[in-house]
Amino acid sequence: MVSSNNKSGPVVLVSRKIEYSFPNSYAYLSGYLIEQGEKIKILFRKDDLNQLINEILALNPLLVGFGNLYPELYEISQIIKLLRSKNIEFPVVIGGQMVSPTPEFAVNITDADIGVIGEGEIILYQLVQALRKGNDPITVKGLVVRNKESTILTGAGEFIMDMRNLPKIPYELFPKEKWLKIGRWYVKNCPQPHWRFADKVINIQGGRGCPFICNFCYHHSIPRYKPIKDIVTEAKNLLALFKANMIYFGDDLTITGPEKARELVDYIKVYKIKASFSLSLRFDVLNKINDELLWELKKSGCRIMGLGVESGSNRILKIIGKRITKEKMIIDLERLKNVGILPTVSIMVGQFTETKEDVEESIEFMLKTVRYNPNIQYAFTITTPFPGSRLYEYIFKKGLLKDNKEFYDKYFCSSSDWKQVVNLSNMSDDEVAYYFDKINKLYIAEKKKMLKKAVFKIEALQFWFGRIHSKIEILYEKRKRNILLMILSSVFGIIYIIFQILLEKINLKLRGIKL
Ligand code: B12
Ligand code: SF4
């Protein structure tokens, strides 16, 4: 039986490093456990894994938890390997998207004792209670448990049905210098007009699950939404608490139709919110929002709209399950340009049965929209059939891969983010790579044609200046007592801020974006 020898120890959860997004999963997990009176410690993964292991051991935890997205699976298995070499006396628990669709595989490949399937708040709490009382974890629903001889699935677990009952997020556990000033992260890593240097961004989750089933996507739970009024109230409180200027509605569930967009605009007015916001939307929803309401969204603060184009071929859009045509998407992107909302969009190459002609249509789509609005921010990916998606099922049905392990080996055989794991298209591997490269290059070339040269020079300056700033900060962190470095760091810090703000202003002007 899986048990813990530290029955009164804290629950230790090890999150990924915070970079450009707030870790919602760990925020809600810890919030729920704290509301139940549990002791929680959140650690963040670091480059020095031995130091991380020592920190975990020093806490004598009841259990240690890791997890979240599939790309983290390998690194987490390496951390668990190191932990195991210390003969630990507490269970290792994993959870998140990397576990839920393939639970038995995930615990076996990582050598974890227990996997939490689906939403973790209630299940993890029930597991914590069982471990504290010395009960067998197999009595808790929603788990996969590895006993010596077998792997046991304990059945469907409980989740929070009413989104109004989501726990309060214990922000004090998540260092705000890491997640609040996201504008600074963008300037240092990929300067773009969408995000501003001085942005302080709060993250609002509008719901969970999704009623659609795009063929590349996975959801472990049914769709549920928070009332718009609650979302806006939460935003108002957080904006005040963190003196933030921007709201990030990260999931495309916040606005499910024009009536929700209307509610959002109205509540923003009622609560007198003076902040910018980024909204994620499906194109079929944007299509139903008329021009007048779109203007109102813009006036109420909508600066960025995140949308998934995915393909410029109507045939592929149908296969994905997008319920929209390229013609309608082009009109919608033009409408966004007309009201001054900055779109961020994605296109994938290598979709199921995709041909060269389909990708050429995506390229044409991209070129047309960039010509109309060179401030569109595109991201291109190679289709990856992540576990849980319809495409993942397909690769085994069609015998393209043998099993979960083969997918894992192929996914983790290179560290590059943009690689082809399985070819689902009607193109050869080389052709997929060629077209992926082609769309990326043509995008950059078209932007260069459409925007003034100075824009690129300024963004390069912003980027390099940011890198130098990071280097000085690291140097200072290492030798905090060195007075000369302290003076250098603070003088440079002030010049840095002034310089970045100035560069940004010029850049936005050159791009024709009003502040
Ligand atoms: C916001 C978001 C992001 C953000 C932040 C992700 C993050 N790590 O927080 C960013 C933009 C960084 C991102 C990036 C990617 N994402 Co993303 N993302 C999302 C999105 C829209 C919301 C996630 C979220 O915040 N959910 C809210 C929280 C509360 O839910 P949760 O994360 O599922 O956590 C719950 C449970 O999973 C569980 N749990 C999670 N972790 C743990 C740990 C323990 C110990 C336990 C017990 C339980 C547990 O309990 C939590 C609370 O209930 C989802 C879609 C969705 N609506 O879920 C896709 C989604 C998670 N992303 C996905 C993917 C594929 C990616 C990328 C790989 C895309 C890419 N090709 O680059 C990258 C990977 C980045 C990386 N290096 O890991 C897939 C995952 C598919 C899969 N089977 O793994 C999803 C489901 C969307 C999809 N297309 O299918 N993503
Ligand atoms: S891609 Fe977006 S709309 Fe499609 S299923 Fe996933 S979350 Fe839902």
Side-chain angles (χ1 to χ4, degrees):
M1 174 178 114
V2 177
S3 62
S4 176
N5 275 358
N6 304 331
K7 290 206 168 37
S8 55
V11 175
V12 175
L13 299 178
V14 186
S15 161
R16 67 183 158 83
K17 282 185 206 164
I18 303 180
E19 275 173 328
Y20 55 97
S21 64
F22 185 74
N24 275 324
S25 45
Y26 284 78
Y28 284 113
L29 286 170
S30 52
Y32 190 83
L33 289 177
I34 288 169
E35 281 185 1
Q36 309 306 318
E38 276 299 333
K39 285 179 277 180
I40 290 285
K41 180 80 193 160
I42 302 275
L43 298 177
F44 297 91
R45 298 212 294 267
K46 41 177 66 85
D47 297 334
D48 185 346
L49 291 185
N50 285 312
Q51 195 192 335
L52 175 66
I53 301 295
N54 289 338
E55 283 176 29
I56 297 170
L57 295 175
L59 289 163
N60 290 323
L62 171 81
L63 65 82
V64 62
F66 300 96
N68 211 354
L69 298 181
Y70 192 84
E72 301 170 57
L73 194 51
Y74 177 76
E75 192 190 338
I76 286 171
S77 73
Q78 297 306 300
I79 300 174
I80 296 175
K81 202 179 198 176
L82 273 175
L83 258 181
R84 291 277 180 227
S85 68
K86 306 284 178 190
N87 294 323
I88 51 171
E89 294 185 321
F90 50 86
V92 175
V93 178
I94 55 173
Q97 315 276 359
M98 63 174 223
V99 178
S100 303
T102 52
E104 286 146 305
F105 172 73
V107 283
N108 286 325
I109 199 80
T110 54
D111 196 17
D113 298 295
I114 298 173
V116 169
I117 305 168
E119 285 175 29
E121 289 88 351
I122 298 177
I123 304 169
L124 183 61
Y125 175 57
Q126 290 173 346
L127 170 65
V128 165
Q129 280 184 309
L131 290 171
R132 292 218 189 278
K133 289 180 191 152
N135 293 343
D136 192 336
I138 63 168
T139 56
V140 175
K141 291 222 179 296
L143 300 178
V144 53
V145 184
R146 264 171 94 228
N147 281 334
K148 270 201 185 96
E149 323 69 44
S150 59
T151 308
I152 301 159
L153 287 163
T154 63
E158 263 184 74
F159 56 88
I160 301 170
M161 190 56 207
D162 187 340
M163 290 288 95
R164 285 171 299 187
N165 297 334
L166 279 181
K168 254 181 80 185
I169 292 179
Y171 283 98
E172 65 284 3
L173 300 183
F174 302 89
K176 70 169 186 233
E177 65 281 4
K178 297 265 186 226
W179 60 265
L180 188 61
K181 294 180 180 174
I182 289 175
R184 291 185 180 213
W185 184 91
Y186 274 98
V187 166
K188 272 184 187 171
N189 293 278
C190 44
Q192 50 188 269
H194 299 57
W195 297 96
R196 315 283 155 79
F197 180 75
D199 279 343
K200 286 183 176 177
V201 188
I202 54 141
N203 196 297
I204 301 283
Q205 217 201 348
R208 289 186 177 177
C210 175
F212 304 100
I213 43 162
C214 299
N215 69 359
F216 59 88
C217 194
Y218 165 68
H219 288 280
H220 48 62
S221 51
I222 54 164
R224 286 144 296 152
Y225 315 104
K226 276 188 201 168
I228 299 285
K229 184 173 188 247
D230 290 14
I231 289 172
V232 180
T233 312
E234 191 180 333
K236 188 179 168 74
N237 294 339
L238 289 180
L239 285 168
L241 183 66
F242 293 108
K243 298 187 174 51
N245 68 316
M246 176 128 190
I247 310 161
Y248 180 70
F249 297 108
D251 52 276
D252 48 10
L253 290 165
T254 312
I255 302 299
T256 47
E259 60 299 337
K260 293 276 176 193
R262 158 64 47 211
E263 258 191 85
L264 183 69
V265 166
D266 289 347
Y267 277 117
I268 285 179
K269 221 179 271 166
V270 170
Y271 286 108
K272 296 190 174 66
I273 290 183
K274 297 265 173 287
S276 303
F277 58 91
S278 168
L279 202 58
S280 295
L281 224 63
R282 275 181 63 106
F283 264 105
D284 52 357
V285 174
L286 171 59
N287 203 252
K288 291 186 197 121
I289 295 178
N290 64 28
D291 287 348
E292 193 198 335
L293 187 51
L294 206 56
W295 266 112
E296 288 196 58
L297 270 172
K298 165 70 186 168
K299 277 192 279 178
S300 63
C302 186
R303 185 203 297 167
I304 306 175
M305 199 173 277
L307 298 139
V309 167
E310 312 310 354
S311 175
S313 149
N314 285 336
R315 189 182 76 83
I316 295 296
L317 286 170
K318 214 169 189 177
I319 287 175
I320 295 175
K322 279 288 167 200
R323 299 185 190 188
I324 192 92
T325 60
K326 66 172 173 186
E327 291 78 14
K328 284 186 175 164
M329 290 196 290
I330 288 174
I331 293 173
D332 284 337
L333 287 174
E334 289 177 358
R335 292 197 309 133
L336 288 183
K337 151 92 180 172
N338 299 345
V339 299
I341 294 175
L342 296 166
T344 61
V345 289
S346 52
I347 282 190
M348 46 176 81
V349 176
Q351 248 291 345
F352 178 56
T353 74
E354 193 166 32
T355 61
K356 293 184 238 177
E357 290 73 28
D358 291 316
V359 192
E360 288 293 359
E361 282 192 64
S362 292
I363 292 174
E364 204 183 297
F365 182 100
M366 177 276 291
L367 291 175
K368 192 167 180 173
T369 51
V370 170
R371 273 174 207 145
Y372 194 80
N373 180 7
N375 293 322
I376 289 188
Q377 188 70 26
Y378 266 96
F380 306 101
T381 58
I382 292 183
T383 310
T384 307
F386 279 105
S389 64
R390 284 193 280 137
L391 290 180
Y392 193 71
E393 280 168 31
Y394 175 83
I395 55 181
F396 302 114
K397 233 186 261 163
K398 288 286 162 191
L400 297 174
L401 293 183
K402 235 180 19 255
D403 51 21
N404 296 322
K405 176 72 167 61
E406 199 179 353
F407 181 87
Y408 175 90
D409 289 339
K410 283 190 180 288
Y411 186 85
F412 290 107
C413 70
S414 103
S415 59
S416 150
D417 269 348
W418 308 127
K419 64 207 151 197
Q420 188 175 42
V421 185
V422 198
N423 189 350
L424 304 156
S425 74
N426 285 350
M427 295 178 277
S428 67
D429 292 1
D430 286 348
E431 281 167 344
V432 173
Y434 168 79
Y435 279 105
F436 179 64
D437 190 51
K438 182 172 174 180
I439 197 165
N440 272 292
K441 284 192 175 140
L442 286 177
Y443 169 61
I444 295 167
E446 199 56 35
K447 281 212 154 180
K448 286 196 168 153
K449 258 196 248 165
M450 299 303 301
L451 290 164
K452 295 197 173 81
K453 272 198 188 112
V455 166
F456 300 95
K457 288 197 177 134
I458 287 175
E459 284 177 5
L461 264 178
Q462 286 181 294
F463 176 82
W464 286 111
F465 211 41
R467 289 283 139 135
I468 297 168
H469 182 247
S470 297
K471 290 250 153 67
I472 292 180
E473 271 186 336
I474 294 168
L475 214 68
Y476 173 60
E477 275 304 309
K478 277 189 190 152
R479 297 185 204 156
K480 269 200 163 148
R481 289 209 186 125
N482 185 322
I483 304 231
L484 199 71
L485 257 179
M486 193 178 85
I487 297 169
L488 181 71
S489 161
S490 33
V491 171
F492 184 73
I494 296 166
I495 299 173
Y496 177 69
I497 293 172
I498 299 171
F499 199 63
Q500 287 288 14
I501 291 176
L502 208 72
L503 285 176
E504 182 175 278
K505 276 210 165 126
I506 304 170
N507 193 15
L508 291 177
K509 203 160 183 203
L510 287 169
R511 283 176 171 271
I513 296 170
K514 283 191 199 115
L515 279 172

